Amino acid sequence: KCKDNIHSVFSEDLAACIWNGIYAASYTCTEGGWVDTGCINYMGGRPDGPAPPDGSSGGSQNDNDPVVVVVVPLPDPTPAYQGILNCINGMGGLNQTDNTTIDEAILASLSLTMSQITGMTNYLSSNNCSEQAQADIIDDILELVEAKLNEELELNTFKLLEIDCIQIQFWQELAQHTAPQVIQNKIDNLPSTFFNNFEIQSVQDANSPVVNMDYFPVKITTLPNNPNTGQQFTAPQFLDYFRRNINSFVSGGGTSFEPYCEISSMCQTETNLWHSNNPLGAIVYLDIPADDGVVVCTKFQSDYWYFMTMNAPHAGNHPVSGTRQFGYIQNADGSYDFFVRGVDRINSLVQFSIAQGFTNADPYLGADLLWYAFQTNMNNFVSNNGGNSSIGAESKNRPNWNKVRDVLLGVKPISDLGCN
């Protein structure tokens, strides 16, 4: 029966039995026909005798039944795109100078056809994995990633459903903000390294298809006392205290802020400036899990300041490009809202892809945790120092950048987004 049905169980190629596969499927012939007895680790050649290899089940009806074992090699477990990964991530020179890598998860998620994989692999091979060949393939992969992300954006939580019409005008101000010339002049004259210069990253320069617009407030009805003097803070004094002690207010959020000291000749200047009464132009290093960043203070007054993200030596690109505001407003009832507010986009399309994982996971979750920590710590500080406060409701809008870009940049009115 097994002999008669062999071609209905295996293809002719598999029936020919390439016996030297590392992993193989074991099939046993029984009175009832072929029985799949599972996978075996098969390093040698053809079995010496008719008995099943150790660990497989013969499935015979009794000890006298004839047993025949056919070992069929399984497909090579190495991903078909491994050659692409080997070139770009290890063998070529591009990643050594530009830190460009392609994550295996990205290629796996793209569901590339064998034709696409073969074409990319052959192109890299025929060009000896040159830097230009790598760059060309990376461009092709990023185009595929962007197409997939745009498809996902129509289905997932980032789809534009509504905009916070109260915050949109403030987000516009952040999106349109540029560093004053005096700050740009300072940046242009800072020391650089072979790999990096200091350069501001605007929200328009980023590559991800989603823009983050957020607002995290703490409502203070009674301002706290200064723990150093016992006197009640004024609102400007409390904001100044917060700035100088920012790390205690973001504790538990995973990120710390320090004056930029990665270039020793800059350290004292940036330290003095950040801790002064007017930190305009101060450059601050952010120790961020997995990917550090640098920001510069591009606007400062008594009720708020702005940070813009930067590319900088010894840090590289900040993970996001954009502007964030730290400040307070006084409400009609005399209370204050101390807040952080930002507009930014993840700088790298690859970083965005990895963070999102092509699921509904929020790539901005890590940043959200930092600002949640700010809310919790500020609320606790106020309560512990004679004040009264409560954590306000955050606002987070993450629409497709192309759908809101013209409104954020002032080209179109906010009425285009359904706001008055």
Side-chain angles (χ1 to χ4, degrees), residues 206-212 318-321 344-353 355-356 363-364:
N207 294 311
S208 70
V210 167
V211 59
N212 167 65
H318 192 290
V320 301
S321 295
D344 52 50
R345 296 163 65 202
I346 292 178
N347 188 58
S348 163
L349 182 59
V350 171
Q351 288 173 319
F352 180 88
S353 305
Q356 184 185 5
Y364 290 95

Side-chain angles (χ1 to χ4, degrees), residues 70-92:
V70 176
V71 180
V72 183
L74 296 178
D76 186 349
T78 303
Y81 47 75
Q82 189 63 49
I84 301 172
L85 293 174
N86 288 344
C87 171
I88 295 175
N89 295 350
M91 293 170 57

Side-chain angles (χ1 to χ4, degrees), residues 56 67 80 98-99 203 208 218 223 282 286 315 326 354 356 369 414:
S56 67
V67 177
D98 195 42
N99 293 321
V203 68
S208 70
V218 176
L223 288 164
L286 277 62
F326 301 74
I354 294 172
Q356 184 185 5
L369 294 177
I414 61 174

Side-chain angles (χ1 to χ4, degrees), residues 41-53:
N41 193 334
Y42 189 65
M43 297 294 296
R46 181 170 179 161
D48 293 333

Side-chain angles (χ1 to χ4, degrees), residues 148-275:
K148 184 173 181 66
L149 288 176
N150 286 332
E151 178 183 341
E152 293 290 328
L153 285 171
E154 297 302 321
L155 303 174
N156 66 20
T157 56
F158 299 118
K159 184 177 178 181
L160 178 58
L161 298 176
E162 59 182 28
I163 289 292
D164 186 332
C165 293
I166 296 176
Q167 292 297 321
I168 187 62
Q169 60 179 320
F170 302 111
W171 288 329
Q172 283 181 307
E173 292 174 8
L174 294 178
Q176 296 172 35
H177 173 70
T178 58
Q181 191 59 48
V182 64
I183 303 300
Q184 192 58 60
N185 290 342
K186 171 183 176 175
I187 292 171
D188 291 342
N189 288 285
L190 289 173
S192 61
T193 67
F194 178 79
F195 296 104
N196 287 106
N197 295 318
F198 287 91
E199 184 177 5
I200 288 177
Q201 300 172 207
S202 74
V203 68
Q204 300 177 62
D205 296 333
N207 294 311
S208 70
V210 167
V211 59
N212 167 65
M213 305 181 293
D214 63 41
Y215 175 71
F216 295 83
V218 176
K219 185 180 183 66
I220 301 178
T221 53
T222 303
L223 288 164
N225 299 323
N226 187 326
N228 298 322
T229 66
Q231 300 298 310
Q232 186 179 40
F233 284 114
T234 64
Q237 289 172 343
F238 187 40
L239 183 65
D240 183 71
Y241 182 88
F242 161 63
R243 174 176 62 85
R244 296 171 189 259
N245 298 274
I246 190 170
N247 286 331
S248 64
F249 285 91
V250 295
S251 176
T255 297
S256 61
F257 297 70
E258 298 292 346
Y260 184 89
C261 288
E262 305 309 298
I263 296 177
S264 58
S265 61
M266 296 174 56
C267 185
Q268 195 60 55
T269 298
E270 298 309 321
T271 299
N272 293 341
L273 186 56
W274 175 240
H275 292 292

Side-chain angles (χ1 to χ4, degrees), residues 359-373:
T359 69
N360 287 333
D362 190 341
Y364 290 95
L365 178 60
D368 289 347
L369 294 177
L370 176 62
W371 308 128
Y372 288 143

